[in-house]
Amino acid sequence: MLGILGGMGPLASAEFIKTIYEYNLFGEKEQIAPKVLLYSDPSFPDRTEVLLRGEYGWLLKNLTDALYQLCDLQVSRIIICCITSHYLLPQLPIQLKERIISLVDVILNEVIERQENHLLLCTNGTRKLKIFQDNNLWQRAKKYIVLLDDEDQKNIHNMIYQIKIYPKAYSSQSNLQFLESMNEKYKIDYFIAGCTEIHLLNKFLLSQNQINYPFLDPLIVVAQKHINTVP
């Protein structure tokens, strides 16, 4: 059984459940679909705020307690549906770390495999804490990853938080215009969904057949490649 630690934000992790079943039913009977357990707790403190202040004791405790609760419910592997919180993975007990599928690992492995130019879209917390740059896979992936300049980074962070707070904000025309301007400015092949909120935007674009905005979306990669490998 796959465990999902969600609620950060709740719409993104709820959509991930839907994505898992969209990619794992295969037109067969529902009884053979994956077993998934979602632990959704929106009360987690804002990850960017507390991590950038270095005052993350409460966040680490909540994260650890929630992961243990998922383990008590016999999940085999766990997805933490918040990339900024991956900053705390090295501080988790080994028995928890062993069960976690790191979304940062998923992204960087895909970048290395594709060997095309990717534009990283993420929160200010993920960017300033160098969550991707401090990963062991970064040295192999970095030549294929483009970072936003400071003004564009500010804009994508604000867009992510609009998607967190307002249902359907991901479908606004301004978001599409922003992606188009980023595509033209940075000349990339893919956008990286470096925040799980962007999964909502990507799913909307896919539903509208907006193929001009291709994403490397780790939640879709997990749904496609990792669900059937859960022991």
Side-chain angles (χ1 to χ4, degrees):
M1 182 162 56
L2 178 70
I4 300 171
L5 179 53
M8 304 174 280
L11 292 174
S13 50
E15 184 65 30
F16 180 39
I17 294 284
K18 181 181 177 184
T19 300
I20 288 172
Y21 289 114
E22 287 172 344
Y23 283 92
N24 289 278
L25 284 175
F26 308 115
E28 302 178 47
K29 58 184 181 179
E30 65 183 35
Q31 285 76 17
I32 63 172
K35 290 194 291 184
V36 182
L37 182 64
L38 171 62
Y39 182 112
S40 182
D41 182 1
S43 71
F44 276 91
D46 185 283
R47 279 66 63 197
T48 289
E49 289 182 5
V50 299
L51 289 172
L52 289 180
R53 289 201 308 265
E55 301 171 355
Y56 50 79
W58 183 33
L59 174 60
L60 180 60
K61 181 182 184 304
N62 285 9
L63 187 68
T64 303
D65 290 347
L67 291 169
Y68 272 125
Q69 289 186 59
L70 281 170
C71 291
D72 288 344
L73 293 167
Q74 306 303 311
V75 300
S76 301
R77 303 298 300 276
I78 299 172
I79 297 290
I80 301 176
C81 215
C82 170
I83 290 177
T84 306
S85 67
H86 281 54
Y87 178 77
L88 295 175
L89 295 194
Q91 300 190 45
L92 294 174
I94 185 65
Q95 61 267 35
L96 295 180
K97 286 191 288 187
E98 289 175 343
R99 299 202 192 192
I100 292 170
I101 299 172
S102 163
L103 295 181
V104 177
D105 286 356
V106 169
I107 289 171
L108 293 178
N109 276 314
E110 284 291 311
V111 169
I112 293 166
E113 181 179 327
R114 296 180 184 190
Q115 297 188 12
E116 295 181 275
N117 291 327
H118 295 72
L119 185 65
L120 178 59
L121 306 182
C122 63
T123 64
N124 288 342
T126 295
R127 176 70 176 272
K128 292 179 180 179
L129 293 163
K130 297 185 177 180
I131 291 172
F132 282 86
Q133 293 91 326
D134 288 341
N135 186 282
N136 291 334
L137 296 169
W138 176 255
Q139 291 303 315
R140 295 170 57 198
K142 66 179 182 180
K143 63 182 177 181
Y144 305 115
I145 297 178
V146 179
L147 302 179
L148 297 171
D149 64 30
D150 290 345
E151 184 63 25
D152 292 333
Q153 177 58 43
K154 177 182 176 181
N155 289 334
I156 191 62
H157 180 85
N158 291 337
M159 185 181 86
I160 288 168
Y161 272 68
Q162 288 293 308
I163 294 173
K164 278 182 178 292
I165 297 169
Y166 299 108
K168 304 296 184 181
Y170 54 82
S171 62
S172 72
Q173 189 62 32
S174 62
N175 288 341
L176 301 184
Q177 292 170 349
F178 177 75
L179 291 179
E180 183 175 353
S181 67
M182 293 301 95
N183 199 6
E184 292 175 359
K185 180 176 180 177
Y186 293 96
K187 308 298 183 184
I188 45 88
D189 300 300
Y190 292 93
F191 297 103
I192 294 175
C195 173
T196 52
E197 254 63 46
I198 298 176
H199 182 60
L200 292 162
L201 173 60
N202 185 31
K203 290 290 293 294
F204 170 74
L205 294 173
L206 291 172
S207 72
Q208 301 298 307
N209 294 316
Q210 293 279 3
I211 59 174
N212 293 329
Y213 309 103
F215 272 90
L216 193 177
D217 183 339
L219 298 185
I220 288 182
V221 174
V222 169
Q224 291 176 318
K225 296 184 177 182
H226 294 267
I227 297 301
N228 291 325
T229 64
V230 174

